[in-house]
Each structure stands twice: as structure tokens, then as C-alpha cells.
Amino acid sequence: MDQIIIRGGAPLRGAIPIAGAKNACLTLMPATLLSDEPLTLTNAPRLSDISTMTALLGSLGAEVSSLQEGKVLALSSHDINNHTADYDIVRKMRASILVLGPMLARDGHAVVSLPGGCAIGARPVDLHLKGLEALGAELDLREGYVHAKAPGGLRGATFEFPFVSVGATENILMAATLAKGTTVLKNAAREPEIVDLAACLTKMGARIDGAGTSTITVEGVDRLHGATHPVVTDRIELGTYMLAPAITGGEVELLGGRMDLVASFAEKLDAAGISVTETEGGLRVARANGRVRAVDVVTEPFPGFPTDLQAQMMALLCTAEGVSVLEEKIFENRFMHAPELIRMGAQIDVHGGTATVTGVERLKGAPVMATDLRASVSLILAALAAEGETVVSRVYHLDRGYERVEEKLSACGASIERVKEQ
Ligand code: UD1
């Protein structure tokens, strides 16, 4: 297994290109199942989660070709010959459940294993299932699999999500494009990845109104056709690299960065004393001399502060002047990075969904373990600012969501390398 070794202390200066969004790409790929014509995705990120979705779609009979070193994905579902998404693939990634809605909508039946993914709380899929039932699906849970049928096709309906779910909104939205009649989704997620999915589906011939607001209306159509669509910028990768100069000092331009994708996050950086400005090519983040200020953070659905940036923000606040309180409202048990940061000298108290961070002047390098995707990159950020050497193990979590981390950071002056574990 690989490890990443970082020698901290160097201020970062330079430019980092931001890739297409993992989470958008993982919902755009299953959209291929809605049509028998080709779907081409450009600006795709090169990540192990994308390879997992490629394998899952391939197991169903879809063809996925990776072109231009993985930046372009050519997908075709003209010949879906298997309607069972097997546990062996689905357990690797929770987003696998996103094949359920499209397969069911197109062919009237699907069997999908209940998913796995990051160990950040219980993360059930009940809302996905309730939404599909509202559209007329008949569901049966047996031996860890969801058996879904819609013999006469799905029917449009009004469904109100009891709370916001990104994945459930995506699944039901895709299914509704081929349902008979009108579907109204209330309390829908408003994440940029939903807007991106709706834009792609619209190019494929879907009739969708209100994506990006909490009410989405879909007029079902008989069939969808092919399309070409660029994956939206990864706002979580963007926010993560915005924190690199914030934590080390220095100045970095995030190429392709967009303020509207990270507005609430940028506000918190501003409150901490970090400057974020728009440039022609993206965003520039700079930190003046001196320590950052403590700020309080509450994670919320978009446009609030994203849970996927909570661990990284905690790394920054570990060295802030004062006491910061981070409240995790989306996932229970999402503070697994805290004990690892404490190994690096951080002062953090976790009580339920709240972490209280008392800033220290300097973190110290230590051997640490990545526990999930965002936790792993928070340790890398902390290590960039720490005194001495940090060795991060279990970096396969990192490879699920960040492409070429070492390359991107070392181009800005970081001392970071990947080695095979001894
Ligand atoms: C997506 C993102 C993930 C991000 C999360 C929240 C992808 C591939 N992943 O995950 O990176 O952290 O949004 O922004 O896009 N829930 C239920 N029942 C359900 C569905 C969700 O109880 O059927 C709960 C979850 O346990 C969680 C909350 O709802 O507490 C929000 O989860 P959701 O928005 O669905 O997250 P994902 O789509 O899984």
C-alpha cells in the first residue's frame, strides 16, 4: 500500500488546476442508462471512484471508453443485458445506488445491492427508495438487494423529501425524466452537481425546470437521446486547495475556480483572515503573515458550508488564534480525522456532532492514518503546515477523490512524495 510523506513548513506559491467534480461525474455517468444513444462527458476527473462506476456500468452491459487519458468518457448503453448491480462492486462506493433510478425508468426493472462507501455514519438509502415508490415503483428488499419493478413504467408524482439528500434527488430526478406525466420534487437538494445533472439531462431531451432551487419540476418524455456535456468544476477539490496557501502561508491561484461554487466557504476564509479574490483564470487565495483567526462552522446542504470541506477546515483551524466550534449537521461520526490531528499536536474536543478546536501555534509531523476520503486530505493539509515529517498511511481513500495530489502540491513548492509502504 502507498504512503504519502510530507515535510511541512514551506509556504505555497503557484497555480493549481481544478478538475471536474467527482460527485457530478458519478451521477452523470449513470445517466447513460436512460438512453440507448451515446453520452460523452468531457472534463472528467481521473479517480478510482470513476473507475468503480465504469466497472459497475460495464457489468450491466454499458460500454465506457476512457479517452484523452481519462479526461473524456464515452458512454453507451445501447445494450443493457444485465439488470443486477452486484454487491462486490456496489459495496466499494455508495454512489452505485444511482444506477437504480435510471435502469428502472428505462427498462421497468432493476436489482441493486445496498451500498457501502465511506464509513461516515449510517447513510441509509431510504429516501431514494421512497421517492421511487412515489413514482410507482414496487420495491422488495431481500438478502441485501433492492429488487425494483415498474411493469407499466414509472408515473409522475409529487414527492417531498423529509430532509435534503443530494443522491436521492439525483436518483429520482433521473427516473422522473422518463416517467409518464409530471413529477414535482419538493425540498430537493440545490447542489451545483444537481444543476449540472439537470443541464446534461436537458441536453439529452429531458424537460426539467427549477434545478438549483428546492422545487424541481420534470415533465416526463418518451425517450432521451445522446449528448456531450462538460463536468462542472469540483468545488470540494477547489475548497481543499484553497486551504493549502491558507494553512501554509503564501499565494496560490486555483485555475478554473468559481466563487459561486464556494461562496459560503470563502466567507469563512475571509472571516479567518484569508483573502480570496477572483482572477481571470479562477480564484486567488493569499494569506498574509501572522496566524489565522478562529471561526465557527456549521455544515449544511448547499448553499451552506459543505460537509465535504469540514475536515479540511478543521485542519486550518487547528493553528488559528482562539477557539473554533465546528458543528457537523449532515453526517454523524464525521470527526474521524480529529484523533489523527490530535496526534499532530492539535487540541480538539469532540462531543457528539460538535468539535471544539483550540488553536495551537504549530502542528508537529507524526505518522497518521487516513480514515476516509476528506479526512485523508485534511491530514495532508495539516502536514503541509506542520513542523517536521508526516507519514500518511491508507492513502487509497485519497485516490478515490483527488487526482495527482502530490504533483499539484509539489508544483507550488510543497515537499510531498508517494512511497510504497515498507
Ligand atoms: C453526497 C456526496 C457526498 C456529500 C453528501 C452531502 C456524492 C457521490 N456524494 O452524498 O460527498 O458528503 O452528498 O453533501 O455526490 N440520508 C438518509 N437517507 C437517504 C439518503 C440520505 O438518511 O436515503 C442521509 C444521509 O445519511 C446523510 C444525509 O441524508 O445524513 C445527506 O446525505 P446525502 O445528501 O444523500 O449524501 P449522498 O448523496 O450520499
Side-chain angles (χ1 to χ4, degrees):
M1 257 191 285
D2 290 355
Q3 292 180 322
I4 288 186
I5 300 181
I6 295 157
R7 277 167 227 76
L12 298 190
R13 289 184 199 285
I16 298 181
I18 304 301
K22 167 181 88 76
N23 287 350
C25 200
L26 288 177
T27 186
L28 291 164
M29 291 173 75
T32 178
L33 296 167
L34 291 164
S35 169
D36 54 11
E37 292 183 17
L39 173 65
T40 304
L41 300 175
T42 59
N43 197 34
R46 289 156 293 179
L47 303 167
S48 66
D49 270 8
I50 301 301
S51 310
T52 304
M53 183 57 86
T54 299
L56 174 58
L57 292 171
S59 76
L60 304 174
E63 286 165 24
V64 185
S65 315
S66 177
L67 311 171
Q68 294 181 28
E69 294 173 348
K71 287 195 100 170
V72 174
L73 297 172
L75 304 106
S76 167
S77 297
H78 63 87
D79 190 19
I80 296 304
N81 49 28
N82 169 30
H83 288 79
T84 300
D86 201 75
Y87 175 69
D88 273 346
I89 302 183
V90 172
R91 71 186 165 84
K92 293 187 189 156
M93 190 179 67
R94 181 178 158 78
S96 307
I97 192 74
L98 295 172
V99 301
L100 178 59
M103 250 198 303
L104 184 61
R106 171 166 136 169
D107 292 332
H109 62 111
V111 179
V112 178
S113 168
L114 291 167
C118 279
I120 49 171
R123 305 186 82 181
V125 291
D126 54 322
L127 296 186
H128 298 244
L129 305 185
K130 284 194 182 113
L132 291 173
E133 274 179 330
L135 299 190
E138 296 164 16
L139 304 179
D140 191 15
L141 261 61
R142 276 182 274 138
E143 289 145 7
Y145 282 78
V146 184
H147 295 252
K149 275 192 300 194
L154 295 171
R155 292 182 307 274
T158 295
F159 181 72
E160 177 158 358
F161 293 95
F163 51 90
V164 173
S165 162
V166 178
T169 301
E170 291 165 347
N171 225 342
I172 319 305
L173 172 60
M174 286 192 277
T177 59
L178 292 179
K180 286 192 190 72
T182 308
T183 298
V184 181
L185 300 179
K186 296 188 171 167
N187 200 23
R190 292 182 278 164
E191 268 66 5
E193 294 75 24
I194 306 275
V195 176
D196 200 40
L197 173 63
C200 177
L201 294 170
T202 302
K203 284 182 198 161
M204 293 170 74
R207 294 176 57 196
I208 301 168
D209 194 40
T213 75
S214 47
T215 303
I216 304 179
T217 306
V218 186
E219 296 292 340
V221 295
D222 288 340
R223 61 183 301 272
L224 295 182
H225 49 76
T228 296
H229 182 78
V231 179
V232 68
T233 298
D234 195 319
R235 64 197 166 94
I236 306 301
E237 192 198 24
L238 171 61
T240 300
Y241 288 125
M242 286 168 75
L243 282 169
I247 201 163
T248 62
E251 185 173 315
V252 171
E253 186 175 11
L254 295 313
L255 303 173
R258 271 168 41 193
M259 193 66 108
D260 61 311
L261 296 175
V262 285
S264 60
F265 172 70
E267 256 171 49
K268 289 292 175 189
L269 289 190
D270 182 58
I274 309 292
S275 119
V276 182
T277 46
E278 300 190 73
T279 62
E280 219 163 273
L283 297 177
R284 179 178 293 117
V285 175
R287 173 175 149 194
N289 291 333
R291 285 171 72 182
V292 298
R293 292 189 291 274
V295 288
D296 294 342
V297 171
V298 181
T299 63
E300 285 170 336
F302 193 85
F305 191 100
T307 174
D308 284 352
L309 286 172
Q310 178 260 111
Q312 301 90 311
M313 188 70 180
M314 186 187 283
L316 174 73
L317 296 176
C318 283
T319 57
E321 190 145 29
V323 176
S324 308
V325 177
L326 292 98
E327 227 182 306
E328 176 54 61
K329 294 263 207 179
I330 310 291
F331 295 114
E332 78 269 31
N333 196 19
R334 202 176 196 179
F335 287 129
M336 285 174 304
H337 41 285
E340 300 301 310
L341 291 168
I342 290 170
R343 292 172 55 77
M344 300 177 71
Q347 286 186 20
I348 306 166
D349 278 317
V350 174
H351 287 287
T354 303
T356 306
V357 181
T358 306
V360 296
E361 193 116 11
R362 198 82 204 261
L363 293 173
K364 299 219 161 51
V368 290
M369 193 112 77
T371 51
D372 70 49
L373 168 55
R374 307 304 171 187
S376 57
V377 82
S378 78
L379 299 175
I380 289 183
L381 288 171
L384 290 173
E387 198 179 308
E389 186 176 280
T390 297
V391 180
V392 185
S393 309
R394 297 204 181 158
V395 295
Y396 53 85
H397 289 291
L398 189 74
D399 298 329
R400 290 187 47 208
Y402 292 88
E403 63 172 47
R404 300 181 295 122
V405 181
E406 311 90 273
E407 222 178 282
K408 290 187 181 188
L409 288 171
S410 53
C412 295
S415 165
I416 174 168
E417 62 176 330
R418 186 182 285 250
V419 296
K420 292 271 170 236
E421 200 166 345
Q422 303 298 314

